[in-house]
Amino acid sequence: MSEQASIKPAALRARSFPGLAALRKILREPMGFFGLALVVLILASAIFADLLAMYDPTKIAPQNRFQGPSLTHLLGTDHLGRDLLSRVLYGARIALLVALGSTALSLMLGIVLGLMAGYGPRWLDAFLLLVFDAMKSFPTIMLALTIVTLAGPSMVSVVMVVVMVSVPGYARIIRTQTIAMKTAEHVTAARSMGAGTIRILRVHILPNIIGPIVILASMDVPVVIGIEAGLSFLGLGVRPPTPSWGTILNDGFANIRDSSWIVIAGGLPIILTTLGFTFLGETLRDVFDPRLKGR
Amino acid sequence: MFAYAMRRLGLGATIILVAMMILFSMIYLIPGDPASVALGPRATPEMIAELRSRMGLDDPVLVQFWNFVSSAVQGNLGVEALSGRPVLTVVMEQLPFTLAMVLCSITWAVLLGIPLGCIAAVKRGGFVDRVIGVLSVAVIAVPSFVVAIYALLLFAVHLKWLPAIGAGESGNLKSQLMALILPSLAVGLGWIGYIARLVRASMLETLEAGHIRTARAFGLPERWIIYNYALRIAILPTVTLLGVGIGHMLSSSVFAEIVFARPGIGKLVYEAISTRNYPLVTGAVLVTTAFFVLVNVLADLVIGLLDPRVRASFN
């Protein structure tokens, strides 16, 4: 009796503030705390780039070029005398925009294709599986280089690359779970009551399988940030003078013998962001879905 | 085993065929005409029309697709736009450089990853295990090209311990190996983490098995049990992972080759893009994809050889 009494308030609290309880669980893990702090920092610098940046990220001042960190330029200046901190802050916008936008798009396409493969006729399933496997067998950057050669370097090409790389993985997972769910009792019951295919998929299958895939997608965010920065580093993604972490790295790489600070300023935000999202994703997975551990 | 091998090879061939189909439809669907891409912005409409008919772009789609696949299967990937040399020859010249680097990266990953995973499994829950765990996640997360640039900055530009550019003098093995250290570390670093995590997980699983308990009951030394009995089974998933890993390493080698100015497939494709050498790009992508599929088939065959249960479950 006393045991029940001690459990009840905790359960009630969790039910009234589900988000807060989850947050507390995440913050209890050192890795989760560190990850969340980094992600909040990056989000804040992207959102408040206008207020935080002291200089125009594209303003050229040749007399100030190759400066090391100082009180006027906290991260130094690049080969054109542009303030690196301002460029890094504005670069966060591009990185997060591409990462979140293209992950959401891939997730949507992956879910639709996965449901089609899992719930559709067998020939469609076999065909889609082959296509997924074939798409996964292109080395990522090679595929990216082909797309960029054909479509030209731009942010749209970067999104296209991300979609082609991540959709097959998401679709395969959704497909497997849809097949498992297809013969579940509540689905059979809904079908016997005359529910249509769309309704069954939307109301009876999707809500049951969407949790794990969202967590997996959140763990892919750092990969996507790496793809965007990598392509921009090669001069095949975001076009200069738009500040992106990849283009800053490219500037720094070209001038690496004159100044180390440009490379350091371009690489640091990439490292911090990928670490932040990865640590947060790992903790999210452990807290919400321990079954996924080890993926 | 024979039936399994045949079925796995057949699936591999089908996947390569579908990959060709996807590549072909990408070329066909993405706006941007290969002929005008190859000729550049100053081409006249007549020049484009001439090249289009020479490249067979005016034929019906199915004819084009058939020509593309049938000549690719025969090893004819077309000729390079600038020098007129066969694409396959050019790609095959550069492939050994990339493969040497990927092999070197795998060596890094295996030599460091497997012992770290074993140590973490043995010290499960302890301080060492946690440190290895966090470090593994960290090296997996950070993109390889950032590692490459930072390694270049630290070891080549500032400390000047290792060469910054090139593949070393030809014929001089020592200088070639020195030139391999940094790029292969940049490509392989993340895989040390992957392998350490995987070995840890499968080692923990294996240590629960009956024959390990028996070995313990016989009083064999723990180190002997781990490295001779448990690791033999715990290593299996790593073979599969390395099969997949080679594809990813081919990707990261593009960055490593550009950062360290090494010859190789990645640098070849990257330069082909800036000169709009379009057949070279598709050719190199096809060769690397086929190579990747082949390696995966091989990995599956090795696993099938080692573990009869896998053979039975494949259909």
Side-chain angles (χ1 to χ4, degrees):
Chain A
M1 191 61 201
S2 64
E3 197 182 324
Q4 257 185 345
S6 68
I7 286 172
K8 218 177 170 190
L12 269 180
R13 222 185 307 142
R15 205 171 301 140
S16 46
F17 305 107
L20 212 66
L23 191 68
R24 203 171 297 133
K25 269 187 192 165
I26 291 169
L27 291 178
R28 208 178 299 143
E29 302 280 325
M31 218 156 94
F33 177 78
F34 186 56
L36 192 66
L38 279 176
V39 169
V40 168
L41 179 79
I42 302 289
L43 280 175
S45 53
I47 296 168
F48 301 114
D50 292 328
L51 302 173
L52 293 170
M54 292 187 288
Y55 300 88
D56 178 354
T58 54
K59 189 167 184 295
I60 295 171
Q63 69 277 14
N64 295 333
R65 69 200 201 117
F66 295 134
Q67 281 184 8
S70 64
L71 278 178
T72 42
H73 298 282
L74 286 175
L75 284 175
T77 59
D78 68 2
H79 62 301
L80 298 173
R82 296 176 291 199
D83 179 50
L84 282 169
L85 180 63
S86 309
R87 288 182 71 70
V88 166
L89 290 172
Y90 277 95
R93 286 194 171 175
I94 302 282
L96 291 182
L97 196 71
V98 171
L100 300 180
S102 51
T103 305
L105 187 64
S106 324
L107 206 53
M108 258 155 42
L109 281 171
I111 288 173
V112 171
L113 287 174
L115 286 175
M116 273 166 66
Y119 203 79
R122 289 210 47 183
W123 62 267
L124 187 67
D125 183 29
F127 172 73
L128 285 175
L129 264 191
L130 256 181
V131 172
F132 297 154
D133 282 353
M135 274 164 73
K136 283 202 90 140
S137 59
F138 291 116
T140 309
I141 297 299
M142 292 290 174
L143 182 73
L145 294 178
T146 320
I147 292 177
V148 173
T149 320
L150 290 162
S154 70
M155 221 152 91
V156 179
S157 304
V158 176
V159 173
M160 214 144 78
V161 170
V162 173
V163 168
M164 289 219 33
V165 170
S166 28
V167 164
Y170 299 153
R172 272 205 89 124
I173 294 167
I174 288 284
R175 167 194 172 265
T176 317
Q177 289 186 307
T178 309
I179 288 176
M181 196 59 77
K182 211 171 170 176
T183 48
E185 270 171 23
H186 73 280
V187 174
T188 322
R191 200 180 303 128
S192 68
M193 286 192 287
T197 308
I198 302 287
R199 184 177 165 79
I200 289 178
L201 289 176
R202 194 171 52 84
V203 180
H204 299 288
I205 293 186
L206 193 55
N208 284 310
I209 58 180
I210 201 153
I213 194 88
V214 169
I215 295 179
L216 282 182
S218 80
M219 296 182 71
D220 273 351
V221 167
V223 178
V224 177
I225 288 177
I227 293 178
E228 185 272 315
L231 284 177
S232 302
F233 167 68
L234 295 178
L236 304 172
V238 178
R239 305 299 291 155
T242 311
S244 140
W245 297 334
T247 51
I248 299 174
L249 265 181
N250 189 3
D251 294 339
F253 177 63
N255 301 293
I256 200 164
R257 291 184 194 274
D258 292 307
S259 165
S260 316
W261 295 111
I262 315 175
V263 165
I264 294 175
L268 217 53
I270 302 179
I271 294 177
L272 291 181
T273 314
T274 46
L275 281 185
F277 275 102
T278 308
F279 285 164
L280 184 62
E282 295 261 325
T283 317
L284 276 178
R285 182 203 56 195
D286 292 352
V287 167
F288 287 110
D289 204 343
R291 278 174 308 164
L292 288 172
K293 207 160 185 172
R295 288 196 89 124
Chain B
M1 184 65 206
F2 182 74
Y4 168 73
M6 280 299 116
R7 240 184 282 156
R8 191 64 193 82
L9 277 173
L11 183 64
T14 321
I15 286 179
I16 294 180
L17 198 71
V18 177
M20 280 183 186
M21 250 157 81
I22 295 173
L23 197 61
F24 179 82
S25 28
M26 260 168 50
I27 298 169
Y28 193 78
L29 291 177
I30 290 180
D33 166 42
S36 47
V37 168
L39 289 171
R42 273 177 297 183
T44 61
E46 291 78 29
M47 280 161 72
I48 293 176
E50 211 269 330
L51 187 67
R52 277 187 68 91
S53 70
R54 200 143 45 88
M55 288 168 86
L57 292 174
D58 295 329
D59 295 337
V61 186
L62 283 176
V63 175
Q64 281 186 48
F65 178 62
W66 173 248
N67 289 339
F68 180 76
V69 171
S70 62
S71 52
V73 167
Q74 290 165 32
N76 174 11
L77 296 174
V79 290
E80 208 194 324
L82 296 176
S83 64
R85 295 170 65 206
V87 167
L88 192 65
T89 322
V90 180
V91 172
M92 283 306 171
E93 271 171 16
Q94 300 294 320
L95 196 60
F97 290 104
T98 305
L99 289 189
M101 191 170 70
V102 169
L103 209 68
C104 214
S105 312
I106 292 178
T107 316
W108 274 108
V110 168
L111 283 185
L112 291 172
I114 292 178
L116 283 176
C118 291
I119 294 170
V122 174
K123 314 245 177 207
R124 172 165 47 152
F127 178 70
V128 178
D129 181 26
R130 296 203 75 156
V131 170
I132 293 178
V134 172
L135 277 182
S136 306
V137 178
V139 294
I140 294 171
V142 176
S144 75
F145 68 97
V146 180
V147 180
I149 298 173
Y150 274 27
L152 176 83
L153 182 70
L154 183 62
F155 294 110
V157 174
H158 276 285
L159 297 173
K160 296 194 169 59
W161 286 350
L162 293 160
I165 55 168
E169 301 161 37
S170 62
N172 183 345
L173 193 65
K174 186 173 166 248
S175 99
Q176 282 177 343
L177 282 179
M178 292 292 272
L180 262 178
I181 294 179
L182 282 184
S184 62
L185 179 66
V187 172
L189 188 67
W191 290 90
I192 300 177
Y194 271 120
I195 291 184
R197 287 183 84 171
L198 192 65
V199 168
R200 177 186 181 274
S202 62
M203 182 64 104
L204 286 177
E205 213 170 285
T206 316
L207 286 178
E208 306 280 309
H211 72 289
I212 301 293
R213 201 185 51 194
T214 312
R216 283 216 177 105
F218 272 90
L220 290 176
E222 187 70 18
R223 186 181 292 262
W224 182 267
I225 294 175
I226 299 247
Y227 286 102
N228 282 287
Y229 293 163
L231 189 57
R232 187 177 287 194
I233 296 171
I235 203 93
L236 286 178
T238 309
V239 179
T240 317
L241 181 76
L242 279 179
V244 181
I246 283 180
H248 290 261
M249 291 188 202
L250 282 173
S251 277
S252 354
S253 68
V254 176
F255 292 113
E257 280 163 13
I258 289 163
V259 169
F260 293 99
R262 286 176 58 83
I265 295 267
K267 198 154 186 301
L268 181 78
V269 174
Y270 181 64
E271 278 163 4
I273 289 178
S274 47
T275 55
R276 299 195 198 81
N277 203 332
Y278 174 79
L280 202 54
V281 178
T282 47
V285 172
L286 261 188
V287 170
T288 44
T289 307
F291 180 77
F292 176 48
V293 172
L294 209 69
V295 168
N296 272 314
V297 172
L298 274 180
D300 276 2
L301 291 184
V302 170
I303 295 284
L305 208 61
L306 295 173
D307 190 344
R309 285 169 301 179
V310 176
R311 265 178 276 165
S313 71
F314 186 86
N315 46 48

